[in-house]
């Protein structure tokens, strides 16, 4: 494994790296959506308030933005004749969202999933009112997979089977797994319970179905970041230590180069890191302990 390379650095906090057509995008808390391409970065577009997560429907050239401060999911179309950013989802059954945290786009299911946590600390363990929602992109219906019962639900990712969702419940220091048993019916339970550190903040699944979890900790407590790796049996098979990068907030694998992991981290300054990880096919993914 190589030393992480800083590809974007800002005064503002950074979250939610994604890669689209060889370019990397991150959401900055100051409203900027930053693009890194050809070893340079620039502001790609700007939204009001605090974008916390971004996803792109590459086929339709549509960006979706989880705007924490505006308490909504926004939509931005890359159209020469229309560059308006519109509020796309801002309530559930008449109740306003607390503040969307993380997005998960599933083109196969034509769905967008999102965690609704509110600002950091609002849905702590003494106020477990966070949720996981799923919205149909065609008919715009929204349903709850877990309603007002989660403690700061943050990062989410999907298994390669498109039927399994992993959710970081930061406030309770654990990963929940949602399994689609039948059409539109999900069952969930505790998949991994951690000990130590503040809690998982982001997750990503590799091309060989290994689950990488960014385990956030405050820089006042430790200098080192930690990414834990789990196989399909929920067994910890590796731990990646990142010296000087404890406040990990986002993970995403490269589409073009599956061994490359993009990471956002926010101690001191906001940073997006590029890390070459051990090729997943060289790990014992079926290992039991």
């Amino acid at each position: 494994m190589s030393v992480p390379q800083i590809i974007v650095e800002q005064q503002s906090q950074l979250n939610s790296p994604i890669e689209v057509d060889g370019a990397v995008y991150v959401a900055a808390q100051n409203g900027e959506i930053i693009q890194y391409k050809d070893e340079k970065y620039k502001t790609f577009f700007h939204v009001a308030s605090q974008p916390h997560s971004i996803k792109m429907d590459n086929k339709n050239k549509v960006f979706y933005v989880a705007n924490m401060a505006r308490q909504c999911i926004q939509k931005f179309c890359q159209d020469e004749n229309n560059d308006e950013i519109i509020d796309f989802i801002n309530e559930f059954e008449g109740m306003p969202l607390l503040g969307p945290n993380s997005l998960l786009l599933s083109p196969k299911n034509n769905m967008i999933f999102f965690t609704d946590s509110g600002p950091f600390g609002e849905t702590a363990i003494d106020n477990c009112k966070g949720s996981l929602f799923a919205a149909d992109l065609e008919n715009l219906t929204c349903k709850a997979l877990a309603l007002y019962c989660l403690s700061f639900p943050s990062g989410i990712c999907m298994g390669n089977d498109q039927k399994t969702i992993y959710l970081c419940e930061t406030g309770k220091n654990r990963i929940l797994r949602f399994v689609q048993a039948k059409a539109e019916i999900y069952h969930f339970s505790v998949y991994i319970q951690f000990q130590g550190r503040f809690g998982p903040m982001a997750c990503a699944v590799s091309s060989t179905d290994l689950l990488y979890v960014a385990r956030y900790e405050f820089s006042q407590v430790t200098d080192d970041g930690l990414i834990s790796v789990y196989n399909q049996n929920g067994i910890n098979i590796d731990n990646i230590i990142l010296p000087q990068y404890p406040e990990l907030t986002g993970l995403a694998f490269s589409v073009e180069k599956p061994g490359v992991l993009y990471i956002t981290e926010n101690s001191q300054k906001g940073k997006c890191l590029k890390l070459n990880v051990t090729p997943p096919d060289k790990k014992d993914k079926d290992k039991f302990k």
Side-chain angles (χ1 to χ4, degrees):
M1 185 181 66
S2 65
V3 175
Q5 171 194 356
I6 298 175
I7 61 172
V8 178
E9 188 170 29
Q10 297 275 289
Q11 291 295 333
S12 182
Q13 292 189 359
L14 301 179
N15 296 288
S16 185
I18 60 171
E19 184 192 75
V20 181
D21 291 339
V24 179
Y25 300 84
V26 292
Q29 195 174 42
N30 64 3
E32 294 180 348
I33 305 301
I34 299 169
Q35 180 197 67
Y36 173 82
K37 189 175 184 179
D38 300 327
E39 299 186 357
K40 297 179 182 179
Y41 63 87
K42 65 179 182 179
T43 299
F44 188 67
F45 66 95
H46 190 279
V47 300
S49 301
Q50 297 178 4
H52 203 271
S53 179
I54 52 173
K55 284 293 181 286
M56 182 179 180
D57 178 352
N58 197 28
K59 179 180 178 181
N60 298 311
K61 303 300 181 184
V62 175
F63 269 94
Y64 295 95
V65 180
N67 196 317
M68 179 77 73
R70 285 182 63 88
Q71 297 173 265
C72 67
I73 308 295
Q74 296 179 301
K75 185 177 178 180
F76 171 71
C77 298
Q78 289 182 280
D79 188 327
E80 293 182 0
N81 300 317
N82 181 16
D83 59 358
E84 184 182 5
I85 301 171
I86 62 172
D87 291 354
F88 183 57
I89 301 170
N90 58 15
E91 55 90 21
F92 176 72
E93 295 185 347
M95 295 294 291
L97 300 179
L98 299 175
N101 185 303
S102 184
L103 300 176
L104 170 61
L105 191 63
S106 176
K108 181 179 178 180
N109 299 317
N110 200 33
M111 302 281 286
I112 189 166
F113 301 85
F114 62 96
T115 52
D116 187 35
S117 66
F120 195 56
E122 182 171 326
T123 53
I125 55 176
D126 61 346
N127 187 39
C128 298
K129 293 185 178 180
S131 304
L132 173 64
F133 295 109
D136 189 304
L137 294 175
E138 183 174 349
N139 59 32
L140 302 183
T141 57
C142 188
K143 65 178 182 179
L145 303 187
L147 184 62
Y148 307 145
C149 61
L150 304 177
S151 178
F152 200 76
S154 51
I156 47 176
C157 66
M158 182 170 279
N160 295 323
D161 61 1
Q162 296 285 300
K163 294 182 179 180
T164 305
I165 297 172
Y166 300 97
L167 181 149
C168 298
E169 191 179 11
T170 309
K172 291 191 176 180
N173 203 11
R174 63 189 184 182
I175 299 290
L176 304 181
R177 184 182 66 171
F178 293 72
V179 178
Q180 186 179 14
K182 297 179 181 179
E184 300 185 0
I185 298 176
Y186 287 83
H187 301 282
F188 70 100
S189 64
V190 176
Y191 187 61
I192 301 167
Q193 179 65 65
F194 297 109
Q195 292 182 331
R197 307 186 78 86
F198 184 75
M201 196 72 79
C203 54
V205 172
S206 73
S207 60
T208 51
D209 278 316
L210 296 178
L211 177 65
Y212 286 65
V213 182
R215 300 176 60 188
Y216 182 96
E217 183 58 283
F218 297 103
S219 57
Q220 294 90 337
V221 177
T222 183
D223 292 329
D224 296 336
L226 175 63
I227 298 174
S228 295
V229 185
Y230 292 81
N231 65 16
Q232 289 178 282
N233 299 309
I235 304 299
N236 181 210
I237 61 172
D238 198 10
N239 289 291
I240 301 171
I241 306 298
L242 298 174
Q244 306 304 314
Y245 301 126
E247 297 186 2
L248 305 175
T249 60
L251 294 179
F253 277 99
S254 167
V255 177
E256 298 183 355
K257 299 178 180 179
V260 171
L261 185 64
Y262 296 107
I263 306 162
T264 50
E265 196 274 340
N266 288 310
S267 60
Q268 299 181 12
K269 293 183 178 181
K271 295 172 285 293
C272 183
L273 311 172
K274 178 181 178 181
L275 179 68
N276 292 312
V277 297
T278 303
D281 58 358
K282 293 189 177 181
K283 292 187 180 297
D284 185 3
K285 67 177 183 178
D286 295 320
K287 177 179 178 182
F288 279 95
K289 287 186 178 181

